[in-house]
Amino acid sequence: MEKTWNNKAWFLVLPVLVLVAFSAVIPLMTVVNYSVQDTFGNNVFFWAGTEWFEELLSSDRFWQAMVRNLVFSFIILAIEIPLGIFIALNMPKKGWGVPVCLVLMALPLLIPWNVVGTIWQVFGRGDIGLLGYSLRSLGFDYNYVNDPYDAWVTVILMDVWHWTSLVVLLCYAGLVSIPDAYYQAAKIDGASRWAIFRYIQLPKMNRVLLIAVLLRFMDSFMIYTEPFVVTGGGPGNSTTFLSIDLVKIAIGQFDLGPAAAMSIVYFLIVLLMSWVFYTVMTNYDSGQ
Amino acid sequence: MARIDCNHIRHAYGPHPKSDKDYALKEVHHAFEDGGAYALLGPSGCGKTTLLNIISGLLHPSHGELLFDGRDVTNLSTQERNIAQVFQFPVIYDTMTVYDNLAFPLRNRGVPETDVDRKVRETLEMTGLADMARRKARGLTADQKQKISLGRGLVRSDVNAILFDEPLTVIDPHMKWVLRSQLKQLHRRFGFTMVYVTHDQTEALTFAENVVVMYEGEIVQIGSPAELFERPKHTFVGYFIGSPGMNVMPVAVEGRNARLGSQTIELPGAPKAGTAGAIELGIRPEYVRLGRDGMAVKISKVEDVGRHKVVRASLEGREIAAVIGEDGTVPAEPKVRFDPARINIYADSWRVEMGA
Amino acid sequence: MLELRNVTKTVGAAEHIRDVSLTLQHGSLNVLLGPTLSGKTSLMRLMAGLDVPASGSVWFDGKDVTGMPVQKRNVAMVYQQFINYPAMTVYENIASPLRVAGAEQAKIDREVRDTAALLKLTPYLDRTPLNLSGGQQQRTALARAIVKNAGLVLLDEPLANLDYKLREELRAELPRIFAAAGTIFVYATTEPHEALLLGGNTATLSEGRITQFGPTIDVFRKPNDLVTAKTFADPPLNTIVLKKSGSSFLLDGGVNLPVPADLAGIADTSYTIGFQPHHLSLARPSPSAVSVKAKVSVTEITGSESFVHLDFADVRWVMLEHGILVFEPDQVIEVFIDPRHIMVFDASGRSATPPQMLAA
């Protein structure tokens, strides 16, 4: 796109800069400040240097939570992206089915995080929840409160239910932008269903998929509310993700220094991973 | 390559067509000969693209049947019909190289890789794309992309017909000349059955041996460029072909003479049909002679279009156009004369034959 | 009066417009002619104020408007796509710029009806654009641009999306419509034929540069350089490189073309000779015409005319002849070049004809 150079434009950006400064930069600097100091309350601080960082990076608790996060993100990406593409491919492209499908798909996205958590907490209960009760009636020993495996399944199911729609909607937007002539040409060329997907639909969805993967990765890596509501990080520490751990340290134990150090490390990891995803995928896109 | 028969084909887009006007295609009964180059010419909404899509199998006609070399293909899918089509906007697989684009239709059909390679190389030569075989298709210009689309059709030796849907729309004027003459050479060398849809008379007339002029869902005339120009069967053909189109004016016919207001125009013969209905006289601007004798006209405008001039004038209160040469001039008291042999007479818009 | 002074526009490392100076008068029709990506749209965006030039300035009626945004300038634009308000009637569409300007009802009604009459839209005033043909939709967009009474109306290939015949009809009416409006019109097109039909002035563009600007027919007949001549030729310009020796242009193959009298003084060296397809003929057009033997490649027949593609030496020519010609492919035929209608360009592509002759 062509760009117009006009210095007045900076004045228009100013309010946003001020807002971002107050909402992001200043809190972040505060956190940096905490991370290198120790406090016993009363606003008395002592210089602690890199002590909290060293402690954090050598703690098993941190690395375990980290691995849990990565495994969780990997699993939900592996489920939601293909599933989202699959649903988008099978959605109607015209007619009355389009608005119906779009509304159905948008529904889970409209529900607040903590409500989603509550819904699944109830849904999965063995005594009154539809899912839990049904599973038990079928003979499964399902109990997300006691069984780490069941807890994971529940949290993953919940995330898939909540967020696959986003992938679907993004992919659908990419798909409907493909002109009919492409499908007609593919028919004439005798292309199989798979070839149409591989050479027409997937290339046209490239960009939206990049956005979908980035959004889903960042969101899932920072997941907090839903597992907190459903499992509270348990049983044991089995669903204690970085964010939950962080809140435990900061609010539960009121260890501001270690919590701040962890926040920064956490923030840098998300930033780094997003950057890696972005570079890899854009390079793949242009290197084709 | 194959002969294509359209047997009484009618098509309506709505589910329950009642009257004629519900049909996008009213009735087409026509044969495209094996190895012929045809153009379907008409304004938008005349049904030309509908007919093309019926031939390619992208649409199933409401009535009638379609035969390829005598075999009924009406219910066959696009793949089974074995045709090739070039669309208005270039359709290419932009993640593939030019080579892979051309190989795609063959690989889809399970052709052995050695044959694929041979056919693709031949096609690359034919279309002049050999230099860029290894390049990604996405970075190419519009005309190169259209050649790839065409190449994907040419690469299959068993193709029944190659269909074109306004393929030069996005091509610059200079490149149109090059592509058109290459297309004509390809046709001459390999004898493909080609059907070319366009609203552009120059493209249609220069491409095809037989031009099918369509108007409001019907074929109004099929003929060589010369026939369409000299003896338009319908006033619409006279208007649509030629620029400016044919001058058409209402007249009263008496024997071998036509009366236009106070003027009498001599005809090459007496019109054979009855002179009932609305009678009109048609004369091409190219055959209106501007000079010092004939019928007096008032000149309203002279357009110099480079290789000739178009004179706009009024004759008996009706607008007419005349074409004069590059160096032609308009005399002081301008008069026009119609070349008698080039006059056509129309009754209710359809051409009537003239006797001796 | 709109003036561009040494305007340049760069996007990244690419130069889209290179040092363009142009003066357009009120009440004039100016055609920007050039192939896709030659800079027509970029130039229009600069004129409108949608873009700011990297260097140089834009003046309107003696005022420097270089940095002034489009909202503050009095310009109207018509695009290749038919852009109208789909929910409004044709009447309301045409009235919209007047309503925005806060004109009184009586004036709005009068101007809308006048403009609609000019564009032959009177019968459709109560319809919405989507119930109109493409030609009528584009007429509505044109009417909206004209009723705005803008000092500058920019039309970016406005007929490109219309059927051939509709294009022809609207094209014939446009000069009359433009003359009635009396503002500066700028009209971009890729088609030489369209420029000739519109008349007015033409600026030929090539790679972001204006190669020539002047009355359309003069630019067509007397191009200053080879690039202009090629841009302004459809079918493509026929060219051949010949060596001048005394009073003749020579080619080893046996061509011997007499040098036109006004060019007798130019140096003996190589020149590119250009001539239009209709100046290559089957019959000897004048006693001085030169006979050439060329091989037929393809013949295209339009009904009244034939385009014969010919191979001669290492070049491809097109001959445009009246009537229907039938030749066998590869047949060798005799054709004539009329030295009265040749254009002569030197090695740098400049016209060899002295400038005062070009101006005449």
Side-chain angles (χ1 to χ4, degrees), chain A residues 181-182 184-192 195-196 198-200 203-204 206-207 285-288, chain B residues 53 56 58 78-79 83-85 87 90-96 104-105 108-109 136 138 152 156:
Chain A
Y182 277 81
Q184 296 176 359
K187 268 191 201 171
I188 289 166
D189 290 336
S192 61
I196 292 177
R198 171 68 187 83
Y199 297 111
I200 297 176
K204 294 277 171 192
N206 239 341
R207 279 160 204 284
D285 188 36
S286 60
Q288 276 274 327
Chain B
N53 287 340
S56 66
L58 298 171
T78 303
Q79 281 109 309
I83 45 97
Q85 187 162 349
F87 296 88
V91 174
I92 49 149
Y93 304 105
D94 44 7
T95 54
M96 296 187 202
F104 189 63
N108 284 331
R109 289 173 171 79
K136 287 274 181 224
R138 80 165 72 180
R152 283 207 314 271
R156 286 153 50 198

Short mmCIF file of all heavy atoms in Angstrom, two decimals, chain A residues 181-182 184-192 195-196 198-200 203-204 206-207 285-288, chain B residues 53 56 58 78-79 83-85 87 90-96 104-105 108-109 136 138 152 156:
data_model
loop_
_atom_site.label_atom_id
_atom_site.label_comp_id
_atom_site.label_asym_id
_atom_site.label_seq_id
_atom_site.Cartn_x
_atom_site.Cartn_y
_atom_site.Cartn_z
N ALA A 181 -14.40 -19.35 -10.20
CA ALA A 181 -13.62 -19.81 -11.36
C ALA A 181 -12.53 -20.79 -10.95
O ALA A 181 -12.21 -21.71 -11.70
CB ALA A 181 -13.01 -18.62 -12.10
N TYR A 182 -11.97 -20.62 -9.74
CA TYR A 182 -10.91 -21.52 -9.29
C TYR A 182 -11.42 -22.95 -9.14
O TYR A 182 -10.77 -23.91 -9.55
CB TYR A 182 -10.33 -21.05 -7.95
CG TYR A 182 -9.29 -19.98 -8.14
CD1 TYR A 182 -9.64 -18.66 -8.34
CD2 TYR A 182 -7.93 -20.31 -8.15
CE1 TYR A 182 -8.69 -17.68 -8.53
CE2 TYR A 182 -6.96 -19.35 -8.34
CZ TYR A 182 -7.35 -18.03 -8.52
OH TYR A 182 -6.40 -17.07 -8.73
N GLN A 184 -14.05 -24.15 -10.63
CA GLN A 184 -14.42 -24.64 -11.95
C GLN A 184 -13.18 -25.13 -12.70
O GLN A 184 -13.18 -26.21 -13.29
CB GLN A 184 -15.12 -23.53 -12.73
CG GLN A 184 -16.43 -23.12 -12.07
CD GLN A 184 -17.09 -21.95 -12.77
OE1 GLN A 184 -16.58 -21.41 -13.75
NE2 GLN A 184 -18.24 -21.53 -12.26
N ALA A 185 -12.11 -24.31 -12.63
CA ALA A 185 -10.88 -24.70 -13.31
C ALA A 185 -10.35 -26.01 -12.73
O ALA A 185 -9.89 -26.88 -13.48
CB ALA A 185 -9.83 -23.60 -13.17
N ALA A 186 -10.45 -26.16 -11.41
CA ALA A 186 -9.95 -27.38 -10.78
C ALA A 186 -10.74 -28.61 -11.24
O ALA A 186 -10.18 -29.66 -11.50
CB ALA A 186 -10.02 -27.24 -9.26
N LYS A 187 -12.05 -28.43 -11.37
CA LYS A 187 -12.89 -29.53 -11.88
C LYS A 187 -12.42 -29.93 -13.26
O LYS A 187 -12.29 -31.11 -13.58
CB LYS A 187 -14.34 -29.05 -12.01
CG LYS A 187 -15.20 -29.28 -10.80
CD LYS A 187 -16.65 -29.01 -11.23
CE LYS A 187 -17.54 -28.71 -10.05
NZ LYS A 187 -18.86 -28.25 -10.49
N ILE A 188 -12.21 -28.91 -14.11
CA ILE A 188 -11.80 -29.15 -15.48
C ILE A 188 -10.45 -29.85 -15.51
O ILE A 188 -10.20 -30.73 -16.32
CB ILE A 188 -11.78 -27.83 -16.27
CG1 ILE A 188 -13.23 -27.38 -16.49
CG2 ILE A 188 -11.04 -27.97 -17.59
CD1 ILE A 188 -13.36 -25.96 -16.94
N ASP A 189 -9.55 -29.45 -14.59
CA ASP A 189 -8.23 -30.07 -14.54
C ASP A 189 -8.28 -31.44 -13.89
O ASP A 189 -7.24 -32.09 -13.75
CB ASP A 189 -7.25 -29.17 -13.78
CG ASP A 189 -6.91 -27.92 -14.56
OD1 ASP A 189 -7.04 -27.96 -15.79
OD2 ASP A 189 -6.53 -26.91 -13.94
N GLY A 190 -9.47 -31.85 -13.46
CA GLY A 190 -9.62 -33.18 -12.87
C GLY A 190 -9.00 -33.31 -11.49
O GLY A 190 -8.58 -34.38 -11.09
N ALA A 191 -8.93 -32.20 -10.76
CA ALA A 191 -8.29 -32.23 -9.45
C ALA A 191 -9.15 -32.99 -8.45
O ALA A 191 -10.37 -32.89 -8.46
CB ALA A 191 -8.07 -30.80 -8.96
N SER A 192 -8.48 -33.75 -7.56
CA SER A 192 -9.20 -34.48 -6.51
C SER A 192 -9.57 -33.49 -5.41
O SER A 192 -9.09 -32.36 -5.37
CB SER A 192 -8.31 -35.57 -5.94
OG SER A 192 -7.15 -34.97 -5.38
N ALA A 195 -6.50 -32.37 -3.75
CA ALA A 195 -5.70 -31.43 -4.55
C ALA A 195 -6.32 -30.04 -4.50
O ALA A 195 -5.60 -29.03 -4.43
CB ALA A 195 -5.60 -31.92 -5.99
N ILE A 196 -7.64 -29.98 -4.53
CA ILE A 196 -8.31 -28.67 -4.44
C ILE A 196 -7.96 -28.00 -3.11
O ILE A 196 -7.63 -26.83 -3.05
CB ILE A 196 -9.84 -28.83 -4.58
CG1 ILE A 196 -10.19 -29.26 -5.99
CG2 ILE A 196 -10.56 -27.53 -4.21
CD1 ILE A 196 -11.67 -29.52 -6.21
N ARG A 198 -5.32 -28.70 -1.17
CA ARG A 198 -3.89 -28.45 -1.06
C ARG A 198 -3.44 -27.26 -1.92
O ARG A 198 -2.60 -26.47 -1.52
CB ARG A 198 -3.14 -29.74 -1.46
CG ARG A 198 -1.65 -29.63 -1.62
CD ARG A 198 -0.96 -29.37 -0.29
NE ARG A 198 0.47 -29.11 -0.49
CZ ARG A 198 0.95 -27.94 -0.82
NH1 ARG A 198 0.14 -26.92 -1.01
NH2 ARG A 198 2.25 -27.76 -0.99
N TYR A 199 -3.98 -27.13 -3.14
CA TYR A 199 -3.44 -26.15 -4.08
C TYR A 199 -4.29 -24.90 -4.24
O TYR A 199 -3.85 -23.91 -4.79
CB TYR A 199 -3.18 -26.79 -5.43
CG TYR A 199 -2.15 -27.87 -5.35
CD1 TYR A 199 -2.48 -29.21 -5.53
CD2 TYR A 199 -0.82 -27.55 -5.05
CE1 TYR A 199 -1.53 -30.21 -5.42
CE2 TYR A 199 0.14 -28.54 -4.94
CZ TYR A 199 -0.22 -29.87 -5.12
OH TYR A 199 0.73 -30.83 -5.00
N ILE A 200 -5.55 -24.95 -3.81
CA ILE A 200 -6.38 -23.75 -3.93
C ILE A 200 -6.77 -23.22 -2.56
O ILE A 200 -6.48 -22.07 -2.22
CB ILE A 200 -7.65 -24.04 -4.77
CG1 ILE A 200 -7.26 -24.42 -6.19
CG2 ILE A 200 -8.56 -22.81 -4.79
CD1 ILE A 200 -8.42 -24.81 -7.05
N PRO A 203 -3.60 -22.51 0.13
CA PRO A 203 -2.85 -21.27 -0.15
C PRO A 203 -3.66 -20.01 0.12
O PRO A 203 -3.12 -19.02 0.58
CB PRO A 203 -2.52 -21.39 -1.64
CG PRO A 203 -2.57 -22.83 -1.95
CD PRO A 203 -3.59 -23.42 -1.03
N LYS A 204 -4.97 -20.06 -0.15
CA LYS A 204 -5.79 -18.87 0.07
C LYS A 204 -6.06 -18.64 1.55
O LYS A 204 -6.42 -17.55 1.96
CB LYS A 204 -7.12 -19.00 -0.68
CG LYS A 204 -6.96 -19.00 -2.18
CD LYS A 204 -6.84 -17.61 -2.74
CE LYS A 204 -6.46 -17.71 -4.21
NZ LYS A 204 -6.06 -16.44 -4.79
N ASN A 206 -3.78 -19.31 3.90
CA ASN A 206 -2.48 -19.14 4.55
C ASN A 206 -2.44 -18.02 5.58
O ASN A 206 -2.04 -18.21 6.72
CB ASN A 206 -1.45 -18.83 3.47
CG ASN A 206 -0.37 -19.86 3.48
OD1 ASN A 206 -0.21 -20.55 4.48
ND2 ASN A 206 0.36 -19.97 2.39
N ARG A 207 -2.88 -16.85 5.13
CA ARG A 207 -2.75 -15.69 6.00
C ARG A 207 -3.67 -15.77 7.21
O ARG A 207 -3.27 -15.46 8.33
CB ARG A 207 -3.06 -14.42 5.21
CG ARG A 207 -1.87 -14.01 4.42
CD ARG A 207 -2.20 -13.09 3.28
NE ARG A 207 -1.14 -13.22 2.30
CZ ARG A 207 0.06 -12.66 2.46
NH1 ARG A 207 0.31 -11.94 3.53
NH2 ARG A 207 1.00 -12.84 1.56
N ASP A 285 5.38 -18.82 3.95
CA ASP A 285 4.42 -18.24 3.02
C ASP A 285 5.12 -17.64 1.80
O ASP A 285 4.76 -17.91 0.67
CB ASP A 285 3.63 -17.16 3.76
CG ASP A 285 2.49 -16.63 2.93
OD1 ASP A 285 1.90 -17.45 2.21
OD2 ASP A 285 2.21 -15.43 3.00
N SER A 286 6.16 -16.84 2.06
CA SER A 286 6.80 -16.15 0.93
C SER A 286 7.82 -17.04 0.24
O SER A 286 8.15 -16.84 -0.92
CB SER A 286 7.47 -14.87 1.42
OG SER A 286 8.44 -15.19 2.38
N GLY A 287 8.33 -18.04 0.96
CA GLY A 287 9.34 -18.90 0.38
C GLY A 287 8.77 -19.96 -0.54
O GLY A 287 9.48 -20.66 -1.22
N GLN A 288 7.45 -20.03 -0.61
CA GLN A 288 6.76 -21.03 -1.43
C GLN A 288 7.24 -21.04 -2.86
O GLN A 288 7.17 -20.06 -3.53
CB GLN A 288 5.27 -20.73 -1.42
CG GLN A 288 4.57 -21.31 -0.22
CD GLN A 288 4.14 -22.73 -0.40
OE1 GLN A 288 3.78 -23.13 -1.48
NE2 GLN A 288 4.20 -23.52 0.65
N ASN B 53 -21.21 -22.31 -20.24
CA ASN B 53 -21.19 -23.14 -19.03
C ASN B 53 -21.97 -24.43 -19.20
O ASN B 53 -21.68 -25.43 -18.55
CB ASN B 53 -21.71 -22.35 -17.83
CG ASN B 53 -20.72 -21.30 -17.37
OD1 ASN B 53 -19.52 -21.40 -17.68
ND2 ASN B 53 -21.18 -20.31 -16.65
N SER B 56 -19.53 -26.66 -21.03
CA SER B 56 -18.44 -27.14 -20.18
C SER B 56 -18.96 -28.06 -19.06
O SER B 56 -18.16 -28.74 -18.43
CB SER B 56 -17.67 -25.98 -19.58
OG SER B 56 -18.49 -25.27 -18.68
N LEU B 58 -20.57 -26.96 -16.34
CA LEU B 58 -20.70 -26.27 -15.06
C LEU B 58 -22.17 -25.96 -14.77
O LEU B 58 -22.56 -25.72 -13.65
CB LEU B 58 -19.87 -24.98 -15.09
CG LEU B 58 -18.36 -25.19 -15.28
CD1 LEU B 58 -17.64 -23.89 -15.51
CD2 LEU B 58 -17.77 -25.91 -14.08
N THR B 78 -18.16 -32.17 -15.49
CA THR B 78 -17.14 -31.41 -16.21
C THR B 78 -15.90 -32.25 -16.48
O THR B 78 -15.38 -32.25 -17.59
CB THR B 78 -16.77 -30.18 -15.38
OG1 THR B 78 -17.94 -29.43 -15.15
CG2 THR B 78 -15.77 -29.31 -16.11
N GLN B 79 -15.44 -32.99 -15.45
CA GLN B 79 -14.25 -33.83 -15.64
C GLN B 79 -14.45 -34.84 -16.75
O GLN B 79 -13.60 -35.03 -17.60
CB GLN B 79 -13.91 -34.62 -14.37
CG GLN B 79 -13.22 -33.84 -13.30
CD GLN B 79 -14.14 -33.59 -12.14
OE1 GLN B 79 -15.27 -33.12 -12.33
NE2 GLN B 79 -13.70 -33.90 -10.94
N ILE B 83 -13.00 -31.23 -21.27
CA ILE B 83 -12.84 -29.97 -21.99
C ILE B 83 -11.84 -29.11 -21.23
O ILE B 83 -11.44 -29.43 -20.12
CB ILE B 83 -14.18 -29.21 -22.11
CG1 ILE B 83 -14.92 -29.20 -20.77
CG2 ILE B 83 -15.08 -29.79 -23.16
CD1 ILE B 83 -14.73 -28.01 -19.98
N ALA B 84 -11.41 -28.02 -21.86
CA ALA B 84 -10.54 -27.07 -21.19
C ALA B 84 -11.21 -25.72 -21.22
O ALA B 84 -11.98 -25.44 -22.15
CB ALA B 84 -9.19 -27.00 -21.88
N GLN B 85 -10.98 -24.91 -20.21
CA GLN B 85 -11.60 -23.59 -20.21
C GLN B 85 -10.62 -22.53 -19.70
O GLN B 85 -9.90 -22.74 -18.73
CB GLN B 85 -12.88 -23.60 -19.35
CG GLN B 85 -13.66 -22.30 -19.46
CD GLN B 85 -15.10 -22.42 -18.99
OE1 GLN B 85 -15.61 -23.52 -18.76
NE2 GLN B 85 -15.78 -21.30 -18.87
N PHE B 87 -10.65 -18.72 -18.22
CA PHE B 87 -11.62 -17.80 -17.61
C PHE B 87 -11.22 -16.34 -17.81
O PHE B 87 -10.10 -16.03 -18.21
CB PHE B 87 -11.76 -18.11 -16.12
CG PHE B 87 -12.33 -19.47 -15.85
CD1 PHE B 87 -11.51 -20.59 -15.76
CD2 PHE B 87 -13.70 -19.65 -15.73
CE1 PHE B 87 -12.04 -21.85 -15.53
CE2 PHE B 87 -14.24 -20.90 -15.49
CZ PHE B 87 -13.40 -22.00 -15.39
N PRO B 90 -7.34 -14.66 -14.80
CA PRO B 90 -6.45 -15.82 -14.86
C PRO B 90 -6.60 -16.69 -13.62
O PRO B 90 -6.56 -16.19 -12.50
CB PRO B 90 -5.06 -15.19 -14.89
CG PRO B 90 -5.24 -13.77 -15.24
CD PRO B 90 -6.63 -13.38 -14.85
N VAL B 91 -6.81 -17.99 -13.84
CA VAL B 91 -6.85 -18.94 -12.73
C VAL B 91 -5.56 -19.74 -12.80
O VAL B 91 -5.34 -20.49 -13.74
CB VAL B 91 -8.06 -19.88 -12.84
CG1 VAL B 91 -7.99 -20.93 -11.75
CG2 VAL B 91 -9.35 -19.09 -12.73
N ILE B 92 -4.71 -19.54 -11.81
CA ILE B 92 -3.47 -20.31 -11.76
C ILE B 92 -3.31 -20.83 -10.34
O ILE B 92 -3.89 -20.30 -9.41
CB ILE B 92 -2.24 -19.45 -12.14
CG1 ILE B 92 -2.28 -18.15 -11.33
CG2 ILE B 92 -2.20 -19.15 -13.61
CD1 ILE B 92 -0.93 -17.63 -11.04
N TYR B 93 -2.52 -21.89 -10.21
CA TYR B 93 -2.22 -22.41 -8.88
C TYR B 93 -0.96 -21.70 -8.45
O TYR B 93 0.14 -22.06 -8.88
CB TYR B 93 -2.07 -23.93 -8.94
CG TYR B 93 -3.29 -24.58 -9.53
CD1 TYR B 93 -3.29 -25.09 -10.82
CD2 TYR B 93 -4.48 -24.63 -8.81
CE1 TYR B 93 -4.43 -25.64 -11.37
CE2 TYR B 93 -5.63 -25.18 -9.35
CZ TYR B 93 -5.60 -25.69 -10.63
OH TYR B 93 -6.73 -26.23 -11.17
N ASP B 94 -1.10 -20.66 -7.64
CA ASP B 94 0.04 -19.76 -7.48
C ASP B 94 1.13 -20.27 -6.56
O ASP B 94 2.19 -19.68 -6.50
CB ASP B 94 -0.37 -18.32 -7.15
CG ASP B 94 -1.44 -18.22 -6.10
OD1 ASP B 94 -1.78 -19.27 -5.53
OD2 ASP B 94 -1.92 -17.11 -5.86
N THR B 95 0.90 -21.40 -5.86
CA THR B 95 2.01 -21.94 -5.09
C THR B 95 2.89 -22.86 -5.94
O THR B 95 3.95 -23.27 -5.52
CB THR B 95 1.51 -22.75 -3.88
OG1 THR B 95 0.59 -23.74 -4.35
CG2 THR B 95 0.80 -21.86 -2.88
N MET B 96 2.42 -23.16 -7.17
CA MET B 96 3.19 -24.06 -8.03
C MET B 96 4.02 -23.28 -9.04
O MET B 96 3.73 -22.13 -9.34
CB MET B 96 2.24 -24.94 -8.84
CG MET B 96 1.37 -25.87 -8.07
SD MET B 96 0.50 -26.91 -9.29
CE MET B 96 -0.88 -27.44 -8.32
N PHE B 104 -0.21 -30.29 -13.79
CA PHE B 104 -1.30 -30.60 -12.85
C PHE B 104 -2.44 -31.43 -13.46
O PHE B 104 -2.79 -32.49 -12.92
CB PHE B 104 -1.81 -29.27 -12.26
CG PHE B 104 -2.77 -29.42 -11.12
CD1 PHE B 104 -2.38 -30.02 -9.94
CD2 PHE B 104 -4.06 -28.92 -11.22
CE1 PHE B 104 -3.25 -30.13 -8.87
CE2 PHE B 104 -4.94 -29.03 -10.16
CZ PHE B 104 -4.54 -29.65 -8.98
N PRO B 105 -3.02 -31.01 -14.61
CA PRO B 105 -4.14 -31.79 -15.15
C PRO B 105 -3.73 -33.21 -15.53
O PRO B 105 -4.54 -34.13 -15.43
CB PRO B 105 -4.57 -31.02 -16.40
CG PRO B 105 -3.88 -29.72 -16.34
CD PRO B 105 -2.74 -29.83 -15.41
N ASN B 108 -3.16 -35.28 -12.23
CA ASN B 108 -4.46 -35.62 -11.64
C ASN B 108 -5.06 -36.84 -12.32
O ASN B 108 -5.84 -37.56 -11.71
CB ASN B 108 -5.43 -34.46 -11.80
CG ASN B 108 -5.14 -33.35 -10.82
OD1 ASN B 108 -4.62 -33.59 -9.74
ND2 ASN B 108 -5.44 -32.13 -11.20
N ARG B 109 -4.74 -37.03 -13.59
CA ARG B 109 -5.31 -38.15 -14.32
C ARG B 109 -4.40 -39.37 -14.32
O ARG B 109 -4.62 -40.31 -15.09
CB ARG B 109 -5.62 -37.71 -15.76
CG ARG B 109 -6.80 -36.75 -15.81
CD ARG B 109 -7.01 -36.17 -17.19
NE ARG B 109 -8.26 -35.44 -17.25
CZ ARG B 109 -8.44 -34.21 -16.79
NH1 ARG B 109 -7.43 -33.56 -16.23
NH2 ARG B 109 -9.61 -33.61 -16.86
N LYS B 136 7.81 -19.46 -10.08
CA LYS B 136 6.52 -19.53 -9.41
C LYS B 136 5.51 -18.77 -10.25
O LYS B 136 5.81 -17.68 -10.75
CB LYS B 136 6.62 -18.87 -8.03
CG LYS B 136 7.38 -19.71 -7.05
CD LYS B 136 6.48 -20.71 -6.37
CE LYS B 136 7.29 -21.50 -5.37
NZ LYS B 136 7.02 -22.91 -5.40
N ARG B 138 2.95 -17.18 -9.38
CA ARG B 138 2.28 -16.00 -8.81
C ARG B 138 2.89 -14.67 -9.23
O ARG B 138 2.20 -13.66 -9.26
CB ARG B 138 2.23 -16.11 -7.30
CG ARG B 138 3.50 -15.71 -6.60
CD ARG B 138 3.24 -15.50 -5.13
NE ARG B 138 3.02 -16.78 -4.47
CZ ARG B 138 2.77 -16.90 -3.19
NH1 ARG B 138 2.65 -15.85 -2.44
NH2 ARG B 138 2.61 -18.08 -2.64
N ARG B 152 -2.78 -25.24 -19.64
CA ARG B 152 -3.34 -26.36 -18.89
C ARG B 152 -4.39 -27.11 -19.71
O ARG B 152 -4.67 -28.26 -19.44
CB ARG B 152 -3.92 -25.89 -17.57
CG ARG B 152 -2.86 -25.60 -16.51
CD ARG B 152 -3.41 -25.77 -15.10
NE ARG B 152 -4.69 -25.14 -14.95
CZ ARG B 152 -4.87 -23.87 -14.57
NH1 ARG B 152 -3.84 -23.13 -14.29
NH2 ARG B 152 -6.07 -23.37 -14.47
N ARG B 156 -3.39 -31.42 -22.47
CA ARG B 156 -4.12 -32.69 -22.56
C ARG B 156 -4.45 -32.98 -24.01
O ARG B 156 -5.19 -32.25 -24.64
CB ARG B 156 -5.40 -32.60 -21.74
CG ARG B 156 -5.16 -32.66 -20.25
CD ARG B 156 -6.23 -31.94 -19.48
NE ARG B 156 -7.58 -32.35 -19.88
CZ ARG B 156 -8.66 -31.64 -19.63
NH1 ARG B 156 -8.56 -30.48 -19.01
NH2 ARG B 156 -9.82 -32.05 -20.02
#
